[in-house]
């Protein structure tokens, strides 16, 4: 595989590799509180002992098999209310990275930023932002991608990995450089103000976009058929039901798989 380490301007130029850590996101946030890291600094690890997922969930990943990293970004140009643009850009970056492989099933972004192959999850993203006034100051962009893992704990609902999809094993370091290049490309697009373009591409790649399908509404514990139409300005998911168009926040709705 081609070494792409020179293909980025800033992401991955400083890279800290830890054999083991509680969570690369927690480590990156600690760095922010104690030092002045340069933008694009990446923390990678072989193993997390307390990997974090969205809204307090856990991220479990077998040691030395997968990509687990956090990138420190400084999107000072983004208003807090536009922060979803960074989620969308990151999801697109991971999408493009995964799309280079010959996958058995279609790749999509399950709102807000899980990467799915068919109905199985192959990657997750956890972005933790620090604000300064109305703007973002720092973002810790945490990414977990299942690469070589063959077996997953039975309680995980629908995990997958590149190995399970392609029947090949991969060396992790060259993949990291490809991922950095993809992340930088999409991040520079938001920095250049191309947020609408990012949103459009993100929506086109959404899992079950424009497809009539069943959804579970968590508050009411009720299932209802509807169609995902896109996202609103704040990144909430817009679902059309027979009698209404409804916007959903994180963990308010999930597809019935
Ligand atoms: C999710 O799907 O809920 C998000 C998972 C994010 C996992 C990654 S692994 C590297 C980084 N460090 C963490 O503790 N979490 C993220």
């Amino acid at each position: 595989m081609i070494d792409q380490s020179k293909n980025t301007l800033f992401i991955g130029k400083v890279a800290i590799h830890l054999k083991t850590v509680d969570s690369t996101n927690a480590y990156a946030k600690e760095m922010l509180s104690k030092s002045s890291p340069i933008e694009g600094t990446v923390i990678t690890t072989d193993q997390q002992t307390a990997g974090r997922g969205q809204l307090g969930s856990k991220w479990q990943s077998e040691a030395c098999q997968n990509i687990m990293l956090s990138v420190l970004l400084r999107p000072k140009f983004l208003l807090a209310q536009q922060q979803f643009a960074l989620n969308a850009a990151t999801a697109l970056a991971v999408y493009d990275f995964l799309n280079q492989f010959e996958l058995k099933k279609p790749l999509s972004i399950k709102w807000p930023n899980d990467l799915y192959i068919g109905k199985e999850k192959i990657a997750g993203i956890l972005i933790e932002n620090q604000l300064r006034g109305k703007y973002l100051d720092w973002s810790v962009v945490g990414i977990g991608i299942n690469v070589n893992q063959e077996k997953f704990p039975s309680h995980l609902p629908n995990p997958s990995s590149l190995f399970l999809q392609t029947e090949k094993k991969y060396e992790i370091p060259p993949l990291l450089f490809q991922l950095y290049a993809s992340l930088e490309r999409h991040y520079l697009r938001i920095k250049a103000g191309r947020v609408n373009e990012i949103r459009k591409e993100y929506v086109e790649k959404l899992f079950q976009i424009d497809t009539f399908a069943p959804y579970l509404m968590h508050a009411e514990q009720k299932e209802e058929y509807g169609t995902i139409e896109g996202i609103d300005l704040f990144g909430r998911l817009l679902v059309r039901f027979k009698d209404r168009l409804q916007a959903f926040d994180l963990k308010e709705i999930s597809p019935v798989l």
Side-chain angles (χ1 to χ4, degrees), residues 47-245:
Q47 181 178 30
Q48 291 187 132
T49 54
R52 297 177 356 191
Q54 281 175 27
L55 291 189
S57 64
K58 288 184 184 149
W59 181 257
Q60 289 176 307
S61 188
E62 209 173 288
C64 303
Q65 300 300 318
N66 302 314
I67 293 176
M68 285 166 272
L69 62 84
S70 299
V71 186
L72 284 161
L73 293 175
R74 200 129 212 228
K76 291 195 284 187
F77 50 88
L78 264 189
L79 282 163
Q81 63 201 31
Q82 295 178 306
Q83 59 187 271
F84 193 78
L86 186 60
N87 289 62
T90 307
L92 284 174
V94 180
Y95 180 101
D96 283 357
F97 165 78
L98 290 169
N99 208 23
Q100 67 177 304
F101 301 98
E102 277 184 35
L103 305 168
K104 293 182 191 160
K105 293 188 189 138
L107 181 62
S108 65
I109 300 168
K110 181 179 154 283
W111 179 86
N113 42 21
D114 288 345
L115 276 295
Y116 266 39
I117 295 181
K119 292 187 173 183
E120 292 168 347
K121 177 164 169 173
I122 189 163
I125 297 167
L126 174 66
I127 301 183
E128 300 184 81
N129 292 320
Q130 278 181 17
L131 305 182
R132 180 180 287 252
K134 289 182 181 168
Y135 287 86
L136 265 62
D137 189 22
W138 279 101
S139 288
V140 173
V141 175
I143 300 173
I145 304 176
N146 298 329
V147 179
N148 293 321
Q149 191 161 338
E150 295 183 21
K151 292 201 177 104
F152 291 87
S154 56
H155 65 270
L156 294 180
N158 53 348
S160 195
S161 66
L162 276 179
F163 170 76
L164 292 174
Q165 291 298 323
T166 63
E167 284 150 32
K168 288 184 192 139
K169 294 270 177 156
Y170 300 87
E171 267 186 74
I172 303 286
L175 298 186
L176 294 177
F177 294 119
Q178 296 176 344
L179 182 59
Y180 300 159
S182 186
L183 283 167
E184 188 171 289
R185 193 166 70 78
H186 287 284
Y187 180 67
L188 289 178
R189 290 172 82 199
I190 34 173
K191 197 165 184 177
R194 292 158 65 189
V195 171
N196 286 342
E197 206 179 290
I198 293 269
R199 289 171 58 86
K200 188 166 168 283
E201 271 176 37
Y202 169 89
V203 167
E204 282 165 5
K205 295 180 167 58
L206 275 179
F207 178 71
Q208 293 189 166
I209 182 76
D210 296 329
T211 307
F212 191 57
Y215 291 91
L216 173 68
M217 261 126 352
H218 297 184
E220 302 93 337
Q221 277 300 303
K222 184 182 89 173
E223 280 183 28
E224 190 173 346
Y225 271 78
T227 307
I228 294 178
E229 288 198 345
I231 52 170
D232 70 8
L233 283 176
F234 306 105
R236 293 182 303 178
L237 187 71
L238 292 172
V239 186
R240 168 84 55 194
F241 296 102
K242 203 166 52 192
D243 54 345
R244 66 198 189 282
L245 180 65

Side-chain angles (χ1 to χ4, degrees), residues 8-27:
T8 58
L9 295 170
F10 60 100
I11 294 188
K13 291 290 170 199
V14 175
I16 299 168
H17 182 75
L18 306 165
K19 286 220 160 303
T20 180
V21 67
D22 51 355
S23 148
T24 56
N25 268 35
Y27 187 94

